[in-house]
Amino acid sequence: MEHTLLHTYDSLPKRVKKYWQQRYTLFSKYDEGIVLTTELWYSVTPEEIAVFIAKYVKHCFPQIRTVLDVFCGGGGNSIAFARLFNSCIGVDINEVNLQCTKHNAALYKLGGKVQTKQSDWLESCSEDWDNIDLIFSSPPWGGPAYTKQDIYDLNNLAPLPLKDLLISFFKICDKVVCFLPRNSNLEQLDQITRELLGEDAVCKVTIVSLDEYVKGMVCYWGEGFL
Ligand code: MGP
């Protein structure tokens, strides 16, 4: 297990050094002591995007109280949801990721609003998740090599293909938001949406950019997204 969480440019492994220059984009409070594992350097959602998603959800559903962040990683999205909603529960299989989430949430003075649960989603998805108003998920895409495919096959998401992930989410809640690769296969998205929710169902897709550079795709399922 990796224990260096508070990095400098020199301590970062070579393969993730390029993300160092994005540190304030990932967390504006980076200098206050943000901690991240190597994997989290390339998988955490940049703060401005996480806040944009949370604000949009709030705009559509001001009454939401509790958000479940499945595969919460370093807590970027959990922190953004906790700023605007009553609470956010972050689930991750990796205990070190959860330590990062808790520590980083405390830096944003949101420690009390971000709860964490260590579990394997393949098991905990069938538990009783009461009072969850919306599920957010930015699942592992398979690392930075996701751009090696021109069109990203959504069956490559871990730990489950998109369709199975969504099945597990819709059992808990009818509002689901996913942050997915910018090159995700839109035809697959459309087909999966119709298979799971009916021929007339739609998935709202927004392409998100920072400084005119496309970072990913946010997909929204459920009645009421404007
Ligand atoms: P990127 O595409 O690897 O980097 O990650 P960059 O510098 O934007 O693009 P490049 O074209 O110069 O390589 C961009 C963002 O995508 C990251 O900040 C994460 O928010 C997200 N992201 C990237 N990866 C590899 C993952 C992943 O495996 N899982 C999740 N959940 N998000 C990821």
Side-chain angles (χ1 to χ4, degrees):
M1 188 179 288
E2 180 194 24
H3 289 292
T4 313
L5 299 174
L6 195 58
H7 280 283
T8 60
Y9 179 77
D10 289 334
S11 72
L12 272 184
K14 206 170 164 195
R15 66 195 168 95
V16 296
K17 277 198 194 298
K18 75 164 193 166
Y19 297 94
W20 176 254
Q21 63 180 17
Q22 301 181 23
R23 61 197 181 284
Y24 302 115
T25 308
L26 300 181
F27 289 99
S28 59
K29 290 182 187 278
Y30 183 80
D31 283 346
E32 294 183 29
I34 290 290
V35 289
L36 294 171
T37 63
T38 303
E39 185 199 351
L40 294 175
W41 272 90
Y42 60 75
S43 49
V44 76
T45 307
E47 183 171 312
E48 219 177 297
I49 294 177
V51 168
F52 168 81
I53 295 169
K55 279 188 178 169
Y56 178 65
V57 168
K58 181 84 179 175
H59 174 70
C60 298
F61 303 104
Q63 73 282 12
I64 279 182
R65 290 180 61 77
T66 306
V67 174
L68 184 63
D69 180 3
V70 181
F71 317 118
C72 67
N77 293 100
S78 291
I79 290 170
F81 282 115
R83 280 167 147 177
L84 294 184
F85 297 99
N86 204 47
S87 64
C88 183
I89 306 170
V91 177
D92 207 290
I93 194 170
N94 183 326
E95 182 57 43
V96 183
N97 286 358
L98 293 175
Q99 285 169 16
C100 292
T101 290
K102 280 186 268 191
H103 176 93
N104 296 337
L107 294 181
Y108 282 79
K109 310 221 177 332
L110 292 163
K113 295 179 80 181
V114 175
Q115 297 157 39
T116 55
K117 179 179 164 74
Q118 198 241 326
S119 72
D120 179 347
W121 184 248
L122 300 183
E123 288 163 16
S124 60
C125 66
S126 40
E127 287 173 17
D128 278 340
W129 289 98
D130 290 331
N131 304 319
I132 300 298
D133 300 308
L134 179 131
I135 293 182
F136 172 84
S137 184
S138 179
W141 305 347
Y146 76 92
T147 48
K148 293 231 160 79
Q149 315 164 43
D150 283 345
I151 298 182
Y152 183 86
D153 180 349
L154 292 162
N155 289 318
N156 291 342
L157 292 174
L160 289 170
L162 182 68
K163 184 175 175 184
D164 295 324
L165 266 184
L166 287 174
I167 289 172
S168 73
F169 296 159
F170 289 137
K171 278 185 188 151
I172 296 167
C173 176
D174 64 356
K175 296 179 194 58
V176 173
V177 180
C178 289
F179 185 52
L180 299 175
R182 58 187 181 227
N183 52 345
S184 293
N185 186 330
L186 290 171
E187 280 177 23
Q188 244 178 344
L189 260 180
D190 182 49
Q191 191 182 341
I192 291 169
T193 299
R194 286 190 283 114
E195 277 173 24
L196 296 183
L197 299 174
E199 274 307 307
D200 297 332
V202 290
C203 165
K204 181 183 172 95
V205 174
T206 57
I207 307 294
V208 284
S209 311
L210 279 180
D211 301 325
E212 298 182 14
Y213 189 84
V214 178
K215 288 282 176 180
M217 201 182 262
V218 192
C219 301
Y220 303 85
W221 291 268
E223 296 285 319
F225 284 109
L226 305 170

